[in-house]
Structure formats: structure tokens, C-alpha cells
Amino acid sequence: MSKERARRRAERERQAAVLAAARAAEAERQERRDARRRALTSRLPKLPKRPTGALAQRRRRQNGALLAGLLAFNLLAWVFFGEWEIRLAAFVVSVLAAPVFHTMLFRRT
């Protein structure tokens, strides 16, 4: 019986060693990947931190709503008008009118 237990223990230890070697290899690959990423990102300029306050969140929401509206307008112009000139004109008008719409829709009081 003790030979059987010793054989099972040796098998468990062998499997544990295989798993430990696999984990070590994966950790080494991850470390090399992280080192490459650090080397690359150290050369890039740092991006400024994004504002997180309530005013910044409201501004992002307003800009998103305006962008969604203009995108819907351009999509409808694309679907209903077949001529490229009209589609281009709709795009130009939406780009030029965006500040006006923003002022009209989201006026500060």
C-alpha cells in the first residue's frame, strides 16, 4: 500500500511541477510583453487626464447627443437622397450648423 501512495504522490508532484513550469513560462511571457509595452509607451507623449467632474460629464453627454442628432440627420440624407451633391451639401450644412444647434439646444441660463 505504501508503494501505491508513493507512486500517487510522485504523480501529483510531477503534475504540480508541470503546472508550475507552465505558470512560470506564462509569467515570463507576460513580463516580456509588459516590458515591450513599457518601452513603447515611454516614447509616446503622455495624454492629459480627462476631466471627471459633473460639468465635464454633462458636456460629454451634450456633445454626444448633438453628435448623435447630426449623425442621424446625415444618415437620413444619405438614405433619402441619391445625388452625391445633396449628400455632400447635407454634411457641410450639418458641420457648419453644429455650433448653432449646440448653442440653441444647450444654452446656459
Side-chain angles (χ1 to χ4, degrees), residues 14-26:
R14 187 187 64 76
Q15 288 177 351
V18 168
L19 287 175
R23 278 193 295 262
E26 178 61 31

PDB file of all heavy atoms in Angstrom, residues 14-26:
ATOM      1  N   ARG A  14       4.681  15.460  -9.875  1.00  0.00           N
ATOM      2  CA  ARG A  14       5.065  15.672 -11.275  1.00  0.00           C
ATOM      3  C   ARG A  14       4.065  16.605 -11.963  1.00  0.00           C
ATOM      4  O   ARG A  14       4.453  17.534 -12.667  1.00  0.00           O
ATOM      5  CB  ARG A  14       5.137  14.335 -12.008  1.00  0.00           C
ATOM      6  CG  ARG A  14       5.695  14.463 -13.433  1.00  0.00           C
ATOM      7  CD  ARG A  14       5.603  13.165 -14.213  1.00  0.00           C
ATOM      8  NE  ARG A  14       4.224  12.739 -14.445  1.00  0.00           N
ATOM      9  CZ  ARG A  14       3.400  13.277 -15.356  1.00  0.00           C
ATOM     10  NH1 ARG A  14       3.824  14.270 -16.111  1.00  0.00           N
ATOM     11  NH2 ARG A  14       2.175  12.839 -15.505  1.00  0.00           N
ATOM     12  N   GLN A  15       2.773  16.374 -11.733  1.00  0.00           N
ATOM     13  CA  GLN A  15       1.759  17.252 -12.328  1.00  0.00           C
ATOM     14  C   GLN A  15       1.867  18.664 -11.786  1.00  0.00           C
ATOM     15  O   GLN A  15       1.710  19.647 -12.530  1.00  0.00           O
ATOM     16  CB  GLN A  15       0.365  16.687 -12.067  1.00  0.00           C
ATOM     17  CG  GLN A  15       0.056  15.454 -12.880  1.00  0.00           C
ATOM     18  CD  GLN A  15      -1.310  14.882 -12.545  1.00  0.00           C
ATOM     19  OE1 GLN A  15      -1.960  15.320 -11.586  1.00  0.00           O
ATOM     20  NE2 GLN A  15      -1.732  13.905 -13.327  1.00  0.00           N
ATOM     21  N   ALA A  16       2.141  18.793 -10.494  1.00  0.00           N
ATOM     22  CA  ALA A  16       2.308  20.126  -9.905  1.00  0.00           C
ATOM     23  C   ALA A  16       3.524  20.825 -10.501  1.00  0.00           C
ATOM     24  O   ALA A  16       3.491  22.034 -10.757  1.00  0.00           O
ATOM     25  CB  ALA A  16       2.440  20.019  -8.393  1.00  0.00           C
ATOM     26  N   ALA A  17       4.590  20.078 -10.741  1.00  0.00           N
ATOM     27  CA  ALA A  17       5.790  20.667 -11.350  1.00  0.00           C
ATOM     28  C   ALA A  17       5.507  21.114 -12.772  1.00  0.00           C
ATOM     29  O   ALA A  17       5.973  22.181 -13.205  1.00  0.00           O
ATOM     30  CB  ALA A  17       6.938  19.661 -11.322  1.00  0.00           C
ATOM     31  N   VAL A  18       4.733  20.324 -13.526  1.00  0.00           N
ATOM     32  CA  VAL A  18       4.372  20.708 -14.893  1.00  0.00           C
ATOM     33  C   VAL A  18       3.534  21.982 -14.871  1.00  0.00           C
ATOM     34  O   VAL A  18       3.767  22.917 -15.660  1.00  0.00           O
ATOM     35  CB  VAL A  18       3.621  19.550 -15.601  1.00  0.00           C
ATOM     36  CG1 VAL A  18       2.985  20.013 -16.890  1.00  0.00           C
ATOM     37  CG2 VAL A  18       4.568  18.386 -15.854  1.00  0.00           C
ATOM     38  N   LEU A  19       2.555  22.047 -13.956  1.00  0.00           N
ATOM     39  CA  LEU A  19       1.729  23.253 -13.859  1.00  0.00           C
ATOM     40  C   LEU A  19       2.552  24.466 -13.426  1.00  0.00           C
ATOM     41  O   LEU A  19       2.359  25.576 -13.948  1.00  0.00           O
ATOM     42  CB  LEU A  19       0.585  23.026 -12.869  1.00  0.00           C
ATOM     43  CG  LEU A  19      -0.542  22.121 -13.352  1.00  0.00           C
ATOM     44  CD1 LEU A  19      -1.551  21.885 -12.234  1.00  0.00           C
ATOM     45  CD2 LEU A  19      -1.214  22.719 -14.560  1.00  0.00           C
ATOM     46  N   ALA A  20       3.476  24.261 -12.507  1.00  0.00           N
ATOM     47  CA  ALA A  20       4.321  25.373 -12.051  1.00  0.00           C
ATOM     48  C   ALA A  20       5.209  25.858 -13.192  1.00  0.00           C
ATOM     49  O   ALA A  20       5.408  27.075 -13.363  1.00  0.00           O
ATOM     50  CB  ALA A  20       5.168  24.938 -10.866  1.00  0.00           C
ATOM     51  N   ALA A  21       5.720  24.947 -13.993  1.00  0.00           N
ATOM     52  CA  ALA A  21       6.548  25.341 -15.127  1.00  0.00           C
ATOM     53  C   ALA A  21       5.720  26.113 -16.156  1.00  0.00           C
ATOM     54  O   ALA A  21       6.181  27.112 -16.724  1.00  0.00           O
ATOM     55  CB  ALA A  21       7.182  24.115 -15.768  1.00  0.00           C
ATOM     56  N   ALA A  22       4.496  25.661 -16.387  1.00  0.00           N
ATOM     57  CA  ALA A  22       3.621  26.373 -17.329  1.00  0.00           C
ATOM     58  C   ALA A  22       3.302  27.772 -16.808  1.00  0.00           C
ATOM     59  O   ALA A  22       3.309  28.749 -17.575  1.00  0.00           O
ATOM     60  CB  ALA A  22       2.337  25.580 -17.553  1.00  0.00           C
ATOM     61  N   ARG A  23       3.015  27.894 -15.503  1.00  0.00           N
ATOM     62  CA  ARG A  23       2.740  29.215 -14.931  1.00  0.00           C
ATOM     63  C   ARG A  23       3.967  30.111 -15.019  1.00  0.00           C
ATOM     64  O   ARG A  23       3.854  31.310 -15.311  1.00  0.00           O
ATOM     65  CB  ARG A  23       2.301  29.069 -13.478  1.00  0.00           C
ATOM     66  CG  ARG A  23       0.843  28.713 -13.317  1.00  0.00           C
ATOM     67  CD  ARG A  23       0.409  28.899 -11.883  1.00  0.00           C
ATOM     68  NE  ARG A  23       1.083  27.980 -10.990  1.00  0.00           N
ATOM     69  CZ  ARG A  23       0.593  26.838 -10.542  1.00  0.00           C
ATOM     70  NH1 ARG A  23      -0.608  26.462 -10.902  1.00  0.00           N
ATOM     71  NH2 ARG A  23       1.284  26.063  -9.725  1.00  0.00           N
ATOM     72  N   ALA A  24       5.135  29.556 -14.770  1.00  0.00           N
ATOM     73  CA  ALA A  24       6.365  30.348 -14.852  1.00  0.00           C
ATOM     74  C   ALA A  24       6.615  30.819 -16.276  1.00  0.00           C
ATOM     75  O   ALA A  24       7.010  31.972 -16.492  1.00  0.00           O
ATOM     76  CB  ALA A  24       7.549  29.536 -14.345  1.00  0.00           C
ATOM     77  N   ALA A  25       6.359  29.947 -17.256  1.00  0.00           N
ATOM     78  CA  ALA A  25       6.547  30.334 -18.655  1.00  0.00           C
ATOM     79  C   ALA A  25       5.557  31.429 -19.042  1.00  0.00           C
ATOM     80  O   ALA A  25       5.921  32.392 -19.732  1.00  0.00           O
ATOM     81  CB  ALA A  25       6.382  29.122 -19.568  1.00  0.00           C
ATOM     82  N   GLU A  26       4.317  31.296 -18.592  1.00  0.00           N
ATOM     83  CA  GLU A  26       3.315  32.325 -18.896  1.00  0.00           C
ATOM     84  C   GLU A  26       3.681  33.641 -18.216  1.00  0.00           C
ATOM     85  O   GLU A  26       3.544  34.716 -18.809  1.00  0.00           O
ATOM     86  CB  GLU A  26       1.935  31.856 -18.442  1.00  0.00           C
ATOM     87  CG  GLU A  26       0.842  32.863 -18.679  1.00  0.00           C
ATOM     88  CD  GLU A  26       0.657  33.217 -20.145  1.00  0.00           C
ATOM     89  OE1 GLU A  26       0.893  32.363 -21.012  1.00  0.00           O
ATOM     90  OE2 GLU A  26       0.278  34.368 -20.424  1.00  0.00           O
TER      91      GLU A  26
END
